[in-house]
Amino acid sequence: GGVGRIIQMAEFARWQWDDQGQWRDFAEQYQAEMEAAFQRRDADLKLEIPPFGTFRMDLKAMAQTTLKGRNPGYTRHIRRRARHIEAGYFILGHEGDIFLSDAAIDQIMDIPVLEVMARVVLGIAEDPENFEKRSLNLKAPEYVDTLGTCEAALEYLRERNFEEIEGEDEDSNFLVFLHDDPRSLRDALKEIEARLATLRKKQEASQKGNTKQAQEATESNDVGDSSNNSNNNSNNNNN
């Protein structure tokens, strides 16, 4: 017995560097180079990152060392942040559960939070020169109950080169996208939208399940009422 299912694995990787305790994504043009070297099992690779210099990326020790530029010999940590997704499809045709990693995006459980994130990221990606879109006050009414209270969302956005800046008073706490290259936000938007789709699908399935239970309960009550009426009629006829 039992129902079998087909397992399909997928992996999404991002390369990041340690900015004094805060992990930052490498710019988009270097992500593919680093991942290709990793997949080839290269021990290291050399990257030119203008205007900062030339760097050696040690893919075994996960370290970046400056070869040319400011502070030659300076070393910082790097990391490969991988999300493993296992998608199961039951042979009967019903989509199985999707088991995700511990990545910050996968810890966000609130649809309204993800909707706000998608709106913010899309706004910056479409109009990167508009600083008003790059800066949001987490204490403002439109954010205080969503981004302002979701640490997983803030962690994810910090990984995507957003920075939190304390305001001068208790009514302001800003989240600002300071990175010059907004192209990385296109990938972020895809991840946010994928997470949204997953949660909406779960919500829809849950609602359908609740509706079915309610219908079954109603039908059960109808059967009970019908049986009681039948008994009452039978008793009346006997009288």
Side-chain angles (χ1 to χ4, degrees):
V3 180
R5 64 175 182 163
I6 302 165
I7 301 299
Q8 183 178 9
M9 295 297 296
E11 181 179 77
F12 300 91
R14 300 292 297 176
W15 286 88
Q16 299 177 327
W17 55 280
D18 181 9
D19 181 11
Q20 297 180 337
Q22 177 63 57
W23 289 100
R24 309 283 189 191
D25 279 12
F26 280 96
E28 214 56 33
Q29 61 264 42
Y30 308 120
Q31 292 283 344
E33 283 188 66
M34 295 180 72
E35 184 61 19
F38 179 83
Q39 294 297 339
R40 291 194 304 265
R41 301 185 183 278
D42 292 350
D44 57 25
L45 80 156
K46 188 162 69 173
L47 280 184
E48 292 185 15
I49 305 179
F52 303 105
T54 303
F55 304 88
R56 176 178 177 267
M57 304 295 177
D58 186 331
L59 303 182
K60 302 296 184 186
M62 285 297 179
Q64 167 190 309
T65 302
T66 305
L67 300 178
K68 293 180 183 177
R70 268 193 326 181
N71 300 329
Y74 178 76
T75 298
R76 72 164 92 237
H77 295 296
I78 60 174
R79 72 178 183 180
R80 179 178 181 268
R81 183 79 160 167
R83 299 175 60 220
H84 292 89
I85 295 180
E86 175 191 299
Y89 295 91
F90 290 105
I91 289 172
L92 293 180
H94 300 291
E95 188 174 345
D97 291 332
I98 298 176
F99 302 93
L100 299 171
S101 75
D102 61 353
I105 191 70
D106 301 324
Q107 307 309 307
I108 304 171
M109 306 303 295
D110 295 325
I111 288 175
V113 171
L114 288 160
E115 289 173 338
V116 170
M117 289 172 69
R119 190 167 67 246
V120 168
V121 168
L122 179 62
I124 299 170
E126 288 185 337
D127 190 6
E129 302 303 319
N130 187 337
F131 185 76
E132 286 187 6
K133 291 187 176 181
R134 284 174 170 253
S135 175
L136 48 139
N137 183 1
L138 296 174
K139 298 291 183 70
E142 62 264 44
Y143 302 120
V144 67
D145 293 325
T146 51
L147 287 182
T149 57
C150 184
E151 182 54 38
L154 295 177
E155 180 186 343
Y156 178 77
L157 291 174
R158 285 193 293 264
E159 289 179 359
R160 292 295 184 160
N161 298 307
F162 282 78
E163 291 190 27
E164 268 188 274
I165 299 175
E166 289 289 336
E168 294 181 357
D169 55 64
E170 60 182 21
D171 293 325
S172 60
N173 183 32
F174 294 95
L175 191 67
V176 184
F177 183 73
L178 294 175
H179 204 271
D180 291 335
D181 185 1
R183 284 181 296 177
S184 63
L185 293 182
R186 292 291 179 182
D187 281 344
L189 185 60
K190 288 177 186 176
E191 288 190 331
I192 293 166
E193 289 176 340
R195 181 65 179 156
L196 256 176
T198 298
L199 292 184
R200 283 172 175 160
K201 191 177 291 186
K202 285 184 179 180
Q203 185 183 64
E204 186 179 330
S206 176
Q207 288 172 346
K208 283 182 179 177
N210 292 338
T211 301
K212 186 176 180 181
Q213 286 180 345
Q215 287 174 341
E216 289 174 350
T218 301
E219 288 170 3
S220 176
N221 289 335
D222 289 344
V223 170
D225 291 342
S226 174
S227 176
N228 289 336
N229 290 336
S230 176
N231 289 336
N232 289 337
N233 290 336
S234 175
N235 291 335
N236 290 335
N237 290 335
N238 290 336
N239 290 335

